[in-house]
Amino acid sequence: RGLNNPSKYREVSHFILSNKISLLALLETRLRESNVFQVAKSIRRQWNFCSNHGASLPGRIVVMWDPAHIEVNVSFIYALCDSRARKQLWKDIIFCANRFKRTPWTLLGDFNVTRFSHEHNNSCRVTKAMEDFNYAIRSAELDDLKSTGLKFTWNNMRSGTAVISKKLDRALGNWQWFKVFADSYAHTYNPGISDHSPLSIQLMQQVQSSGRPFKFLNFWADHSDFLNIVRHEWAKTYEGPPLRKI
């Protein structure tokens, strides 16, 4: 909680590099709007960033991304502790689901409520808040991504019989997401600077396709139209990040 300590954003920077992250959200940063630039550039100098200070004065969410990578439709979630206040978020998710129905869309973050009884280490109760959450997920036609790593994503930092662990953080996708990124999965890491564990989405299809080598066959250059075709294609202009242009 809070990202004002330099040791914390050094750990975030290490996490990005060691896990090859290209897009991330930091939740509950408690940064002043005037400090976001300094912190974001200390983590990754060349990355773009934005925050939700316009909607929340404490600045609960800071999003950072590598501008050289492809675009995806992703929503980062930080749900309130009050179950009644979360109902507006559920309505917003259903509204957005209708807008993204024809494109791949994923949501990940802290939903502050579990879906199932086995997502709590010492309680089998199904609460009204859980029922509301599951109703919203079904209405939005979303489902959990396949997951690896830790079962619980949050704990109360206690030990022995006093410990409480829950799965409050998760990644969801719509039908188009599962269709396009069928091999994607969510991974829950060991906790670090937070009482919540980091959560990432791995896009296996993207990793596999980016690793295929480009082969140039020398006999292509012997074709009579070779130079004209190259000259014609090279003269075209494309919009987007440098890698996409190439």
Side-chain angles (χ1 to χ4, degrees):
R1 257 180 210 166
L3 202 64
N4 291 287
N5 190 324
S7 65
K8 291 186 176 182
Y9 43 83
R10 280 196 295 269
E11 182 169 330
V12 173
S13 179
H14 175 73
F15 178 81
I16 291 171
L17 291 173
S18 59
N19 295 287
K20 299 180 180 179
I21 304 295
S22 57
L23 165 68
L24 85 157
L26 303 167
L27 309 182
E28 195 68 57
T29 64
R30 299 186 180 180
L31 291 172
R32 292 182 179 178
E33 189 171 7
S34 57
N35 293 338
V36 173
F37 179 88
Q38 176 188 347
V39 173
K41 292 304 177 181
S42 297
I43 294 173
R44 299 303 290 156
R45 182 169 298 277
Q46 302 300 324
W47 282 23
N48 295 338
F49 68 91
C50 64
S51 71
N52 72 331
H53 280 87
S56 173
L57 288 178
R60 296 184 184 276
I61 303 176
V62 174
V63 177
M64 300 178 57
W65 66 94
D66 183 348
H69 283 72
I70 62 171
E71 297 177 1
V72 293
N73 293 316
V74 56
S75 296
F76 294 107
I77 305 296
Y78 181 79
L80 298 174
C81 295
D82 186 351
S83 61
R84 290 172 296 182
R86 284 196 298 267
K87 289 184 178 181
Q88 182 57 51
L89 174 60
W90 305 156
K91 292 178 181 178
D92 292 341
I93 289 175
I94 294 171
F95 174 80
C96 291
N98 290 324
R99 295 192 62 185
F100 288 120
K101 210 160 225 179
R102 297 185 179 180
T103 58
W105 180 46
T106 184
L107 309 82
L108 70 159
D110 177 9
F111 291 85
N112 237 314
V113 62
T114 57
R115 284 193 68 185
F116 309 110
S117 58
H118 60 78
E119 295 179 346
H120 193 300
N121 72 320
N122 61 6
S123 174
C124 295
R125 279 197 320 130
V126 176
T127 65
K128 179 64 166 57
M130 294 166 65
E131 292 176 348
D132 291 342
F133 183 35
N134 278 298
Y135 176 79
I137 290 175
R138 289 192 299 270
S139 299
E141 298 181 355
L142 302 171
D143 203 357
D144 286 303
L145 271 63
K146 293 179 293 186
S147 61
T148 60
L150 299 183
K151 177 180 179 181
F152 302 118
T153 67
W154 172 87
N155 70 84
N156 62 350
M157 310 294 283
R158 298 182 184 179
S159 58
T161 57
V163 67
I164 299 175
S165 300
K166 300 180 182 180
K167 183 179 176 66
L168 299 180
D169 310 81
R170 63 196 327 119
L172 301 165
N174 66 358
W175 186 85
Q176 288 291 341
W177 179 272
F178 288 104
K179 180 181 178 182
V180 176
F181 301 108
D183 292 334
S184 65
Y185 66 93
H187 182 76
T188 304
Y189 300 82
N190 292 325
I193 58 176
S194 173
D195 52 352
H196 287 261
S197 295
L199 181 72
S200 74
I201 295 179
Q202 306 293 325
L203 301 179
M204 295 302 294
Q205 287 184 340
Q206 296 299 317
V207 173
Q208 291 169 359
S209 63
S210 63
R212 296 167 69 181
F214 171 77
K215 294 182 180 180
F216 181 86
L217 304 181
N218 290 333
F219 73 83
W220 290 347
D222 295 330
H223 194 281
S224 59
D225 292 330
F226 175 79
L227 290 178
N228 288 333
I229 291 173
V230 171
R231 190 177 299 109
H232 175 73
E233 293 299 323
W234 198 255
K236 293 180 180 179
T237 58
Y238 296 88
E239 296 298 324
L243 286 177
R244 180 180 291 180
K245 291 181 180 179
I246 292 176

